[in-house]
Amino acid sequence: MEDLDDGVNIAIIGAGWAGMAAAVALAEAKIPVTVFEAARHLGGRARSVEIEGIELDNGQHILIGAYRETLRLMRAVGADPDRLLLRQPLAIDYPGKFSLRARRLPAPLHLLAALLTAGGLAWSERIAAMRFIAAMRGNAYRIAADMPVAELLALHRQSGTLARYLWEPLCVSALNTPAASASAQVFLNVLRDALDGARESSDFLIPRADLGKLFPQPAAAFVHANGGSVRLGMPVRTLVNDSGGFILDNRPGHYTHAIVAVGPHQIDALLDRFAVLAPTRRSLAAFAYEPIYTCYLQYPPDISMPRAMTGFDGGTIQWLFDRGRLNGTAGLLAAVISARGGHQNSSQDVVASAIHRELAAFVPGLPQPLWSRVIAEKRATFSCRPGVARPENETAVRNLYLAGDYTASDYPATLESAVRSGVRAARLVRER
């Protein structure tokens, strides 16, 4: 590894989770960085917003115990995961239809017990699920050729209740892509880490605090404390490379290294002066995207759900979170709709009304919400389909790197993928 001399000057463009992970990884090595962010808030596509005077998230995220790099960096910047995240064993509940809860047993006995005691499954389905997991483990969670998740499930007779309430919801939650078009190999990569590691790897980690407090805000404080800076409201529109390094928007000064950590749909203009990067730009231009809609509904404080997280089927809602049970505002519910669907063709008021009707059917006597708000992140993630060409962190331009959940990885577009990408980009800077 080449030692970085005192003249090193690193610019990171984008203060989302990937950009802040890169900044923290460099700050850990006592390498100062300057982070530029166009918005006046941190977090990128996973950020905090203020609604009705309450700090909430632009989308309700779930982490899992296998997200080791995210948890490590949270601890490094002083954000205690044990305090900020509700950890509970893998639990999927569709009231009256299906329930599965992992037991606190050593792996893989915790999953075996969960399948044997799952509600709503016939014995033939339990056996089929165990055979599927055994087959995937036997092949090290690799398949000869990628295919849609739905095809993989059909090949292994994972149909009916198993597909509808277990594998397909897990696929949409992890990849934010419908099972009919999602990459089976990437889905298996997630299952490998979540189901084939330690028991804790399959745990659900549900945020008790807003996303800003989980990582971006303490990360910015950590960067400042270690000689770096984070500049909000400072968009970078052009990036030029000359003999002295990188120039940002004709601002004074040069940067010896640059890490571009903006969303893939925002990157083209920054790279258009680098002819050698035309193949990368073409691959990004071919990306399709998936949305995530989150509807917040504030009910009177005495309204609560039986659990912090509940699955819904057959309507608009996919997952419902009780923010009151997550140390939040009593009576505040968050309904999540992942990936594409008919809801995209409706106004936000229509979506909110449909969600309230579904909740009223689930909770008899439910009053009208005091207020509701839909947040539509229309390009929340790239569509994780088989054969998607994802660019590497290292580019063909010396000392220019990419960081983001869309870069080459065996993971889908998740917070963990973003964090890992930022750490990899920082490592490449240090190695050069």
Side-chain angles (χ1 to χ4, degrees):
M1 180 181 293
E2 179 181 320
D3 289 332
L4 294 175
D5 60 33
D6 292 338
V8 71
N9 193 11
I10 301 167
I12 299 176
I13 305 170
W17 286 59
M20 294 311 300
V24 168
L26 290 166
E28 285 182 306
K30 306 304 178 185
I31 301 170
V33 300
T34 304
V35 182
F36 296 89
E37 170 55 52
R40 296 192 176 277
H41 53 257
L42 302 162
R45 285 168 288 132
R47 62 188 181 276
S48 305
V49 296
E50 184 176 309
I51 300 176
E52 299 289 332
I54 305 171
E55 282 292 322
L56 297 170
D57 302 326
N58 70 317
Q60 179 70 53
H61 288 259
I62 306 175
L63 291 75
I64 60 174
Y67 287 3
R68 295 181 182 85
E69 196 67 6
T70 300
L71 298 174
R72 181 188 74 79
L73 282 192
M74 286 179 65
R75 293 187 178 95
V77 300
D80 181 7
D82 295 333
R83 179 176 59 86
L84 296 171
L85 299 170
L86 172 64
R87 178 180 284 269
Q88 62 180 38
L90 170 67
I92 300 174
D93 291 291
Y94 288 86
K97 299 175 181 178
F98 175 78
S99 65
L100 178 142
R101 306 185 74 81
R103 301 302 190 250
R104 296 188 181 278
L105 297 169
L109 294 178
H110 67 309
L111 296 175
L112 175 63
L115 286 170
L116 289 175
T117 59
L121 285 181
W123 276 106
S124 59
E125 292 175 310
R126 301 174 203 271
I127 294 171
M130 287 186 280
R131 285 176 174 169
F132 174 58
I133 294 173
M136 295 303 100
R137 291 188 73 195
N139 290 320
Y141 291 89
R142 303 293 303 175
I143 50 179
D146 204 358
M147 64 183 74
V149 169
E151 289 186 19
L152 178 71
L153 297 178
L155 282 174
H156 290 269
R157 299 182 180 180
Q158 304 297 290
S159 58
T161 301
L162 271 177
R164 184 169 183 173
Y165 296 116
L166 180 59
W167 303 125
E168 290 178 2
L170 287 178
C171 170
V172 173
S173 296
L175 277 65
N176 195 40
T177 305
S181 55
S183 164
Q185 184 56 70
V186 175
F187 181 53
L188 290 178
N189 295 341
V190 176
L191 292 185
R192 173 200 65 209
D193 289 357
L195 304 184
D196 212 30
R199 185 201 63 75
E200 294 80 8
S201 295
S202 65
D203 286 351
F204 282 164
L205 308 179
I206 307 174
R208 292 180 180 270
D210 63 75
L211 289 172
K213 294 184 178 68
L214 289 191
F215 178 66
Q217 292 172 12
F222 183 87
V223 169
H224 281 292
N226 285 276
S229 66
V230 179
R231 302 179 183 178
L232 301 180
M234 294 281 287
V236 175
R237 295 183 174 86
T238 60
L239 183 65
V240 177
N241 186 215
D242 66 11
S243 58
F246 296 95
I247 301 173
L248 281 59
D249 288 342
N250 295 316
R251 294 186 178 109
H254 291 74
Y255 293 89
T256 57
H257 302 71
I259 298 175
V260 178
V262 300
H265 59 287
Q266 301 167 317
I267 205 170
D268 191 61
L270 283 170
L271 302 185
D272 66 358
R273 295 171 184 254
F274 300 94
V276 71
L277 297 181
T280 297
R281 293 170 59 206
R282 284 195 295 270
S283 69
L284 292 176
F287 274 21
Y289 293 90
E290 301 286 350
I292 296 178
Y293 280 51
T294 302
C295 179
Y296 290 101
L297 305 100
Q298 178 65 69
Y299 292 99
D302 60 328
I303 298 298
S304 66
M305 296 295 109
R307 297 181 179 85
M309 172 181 166
T310 304
F312 278 66
D313 172 62
T316 304
I317 306 170
Q318 293 170 351
W319 298 101
L320 182 72
F321 295 85
D322 187 334
R323 300 283 299 197
R325 287 187 174 273
L326 297 171
N327 288 356
T329 303
L332 181 62
L333 306 181
V336 177
I337 315 166
S338 296
R340 72 186 89 104
H343 58 283
Q344 294 173 269
N345 301 320
S346 301
S347 71
Q348 294 189 0
D349 286 343
V350 169
V351 172
S353 295
I355 288 173
H356 169 70
R357 288 195 299 272
E358 291 176 27
L359 293 176
F362 182 66
V363 182
L366 184 70
Q368 287 290 326
L370 304 176
W371 56 262
S372 63
R373 182 76 59 84
V374 174
I375 299 177
E377 196 70 34
K378 295 182 179 179
R379 290 178 170 177
T381 69
F382 71 91
S383 190
C384 191
R385 303 174 183 179
V388 171
R390 300 165 65 177
E392 299 290 337
N393 294 98
E394 187 170 14
T395 74
V397 177
R398 178 175 171 79
N399 293 338
L400 176 62
Y401 307 96
L402 304 179
D405 58 12
Y406 65 92
T407 57
S409 164
D410 62 358
Y411 256 38
T414 60
L415 296 179
E416 175 73 0
S417 182
V419 167
R420 289 186 188 183
S421 176
V423 171
R424 281 198 301 272
R427 185 179 303 119
L428 288 169
V429 168
R430 296 181 61 194
E431 290 174 349
R432 301 299 185 274

